[in-house]
Amino acid sequence: FHNFDHACHVTMSVSKLLNRVATPDISKEDLDQAEKDRCHLASRLHDYTHGINSDPLILFGIVFSALIHDVDHRGISNVQLGKEEPEMAEYYKNKSLAEQNSVDVAWEVLMSKKYDDLRSFIFASPAELMRFRQVVVNIVLATDIFDKELGVLRKSRWQKAFHDDSINDGSRTDINRKATIVIEHLIQASDVAHTMQHWHVYRKWNYKLFNEMLTAYKQGRMGADPSLFWYKGELGFFDNYIIPLAKKLKDCNIFGASSDECLTFALQNRHEWEIRGEAIVASMIVRIAAASIKKMDLDCDLSLVESSRSA
């Protein structure tokens, strides 16, 4: 699951949502005002999207973060990663180990000498470089959805940004707060975009994730057998994370029809899984076992060929 195909899928999902960012209805008064003041309309669009869609560095940072958010992923949870890599756990203070490691690995590549020219085109100043890094760190860490403390913090920020009328005053702080939380939810939705897309897309990536976690269990790198909880686990994931997340995309009010599409597919996939999920889990177990036997046979054939050549 956590491979370059996933990185590409998340990046395309981010790009799709960004390209579909809605714009407000432009009134005749706005058009008349725009003729007098060219900045008026641009300002309206900027504020409507909380400044996201008119900031090239932010837009690039979102796409870049989507591409690198799972770099060097080991196919295991952060808890297991901490057990296997205690030095990493200590270095990152047991917080978002895989995510922080991905940022560091990708950043080291970006900062390497062979990308000197690229950086000179992206960043006009050291200040822009540091701002870009802050954006990337915030976005990639937002993909750690299992850290309870971070989850509580995000919920609190969401409440302040979209439901606390006492601080929703249209100030720069208010707009920046909204932009930050919208970006976090944008990357989170893109990271699990398969759950909000066509049923066949969901099935494809669900199989990949199940296979990855079952492999980890068989290797002694996961505490519980996913085949025993996968059916109910997916229902809970839809109910407690995916559907609420899709509703928040709609509440942001900047993604237009895309937010409706995400919610519709999430509800449809949840319904299909409730009906067919148990049978699907059973079929995935059979499919994985058959693929394992086929691989063992292939490895055996290759071994015999090597032996005959040696003889």
Side-chain angles (χ1 to χ4, degrees), residues 71-255:
V71 165
D72 197 35
H73 199 284
R74 316 293 173 82
I76 53 177
S77 68
N78 275 330
V79 173
Q80 183 63 29
L81 184 58
K83 294 177 181 178
E84 296 184 10
E85 305 263 357
E87 298 85 1
M88 182 186 294
E90 182 179 2
Y91 183 73
Y92 293 128
K93 297 179 173 56
N94 284 306
K95 282 290 185 181
S96 306
L97 307 188
E99 292 77 16
Q100 292 200 68
N101 180 60
S102 292
V103 171
D104 283 347
V105 171
W107 195 257
E108 184 177 352
V109 174
L110 181 61
M111 293 298 107
S112 62
K113 185 172 180 56
K114 66 179 180 179
Y115 291 117
D116 285 349
D117 290 341
L118 175 63
R119 291 197 307 276
S120 69
F121 281 100
I122 299 173
F123 313 114
S125 66
E128 281 196 351
L129 173 65
M130 295 309 299
R131 178 168 172 255
F132 179 78
R133 177 173 172 80
Q134 182 181 21
V135 168
V136 171
V137 170
N138 288 344
I139 294 174
V140 175
L141 291 188
T143 63
D144 182 3
I145 63 174
F146 295 108
D147 187 300
K148 292 182 179 180
E149 291 183 8
L150 289 177
V152 170
L153 181 62
R154 290 187 195 110
K155 288 181 180 179
S156 174
R157 284 207 302 269
W158 176 270
Q159 187 67 26
K160 288 181 180 179
F162 292 99
H163 297 289
D164 192 338
D165 294 335
S166 64
I167 57 177
N168 288 336
D169 55 6
S171 66
R172 179 53 50 197
T173 299
D174 177 36
I175 292 173
N176 288 342
R177 184 188 299 113
K178 285 184 170 69
T180 299
I181 200 69
V182 167
I183 291 169
E184 287 181 351
H185 285 75
L186 170 63
I187 190 66
Q188 288 174 351
S190 298
D191 197 19
V192 291
H194 63 285
T195 64
M196 305 178 193
Q197 294 172 347
H198 193 277
W199 169 251
H200 296 297
V201 177
Y202 167 67
R203 283 285 311 276
K204 168 188 172 181
W205 291 100
N206 182 258
Y207 171 79
K208 286 177 174 288
L209 184 58
F210 178 77
N211 193 4
E212 180 178 281
M213 295 181 72
L214 186 61
T215 299
Y217 172 72
K218 290 177 179 179
Q219 294 173 344
R221 307 174 79 196
M222 183 173 175
D225 182 350
S227 63
L228 301 179
F229 64 77
W230 201 257
Y231 170 69
K232 290 185 177 179
E234 284 295 285
L235 290 177
F237 193 46
F238 272 112
D239 291 340
N240 300 316
Y241 183 71
I242 299 301
I243 293 173
L245 179 59
K247 289 179 178 178
K248 285 182 177 178
L249 289 182
K250 186 175 179 64
D251 289 344
C252 291
N253 198 35
I254 67 172
F255 295 108

Side-chain angles (χ1 to χ4, degrees), residues 48-68:
Y48 184 79
T49 61
H50 316 305
I52 295 171
N53 213 33
S54 54
D55 190 328
L57 195 67
I58 292 290
L59 292 174
F60 179 67
I62 295 172
V63 175
F64 179 83
S65 299
L67 185 64
I68 62 95

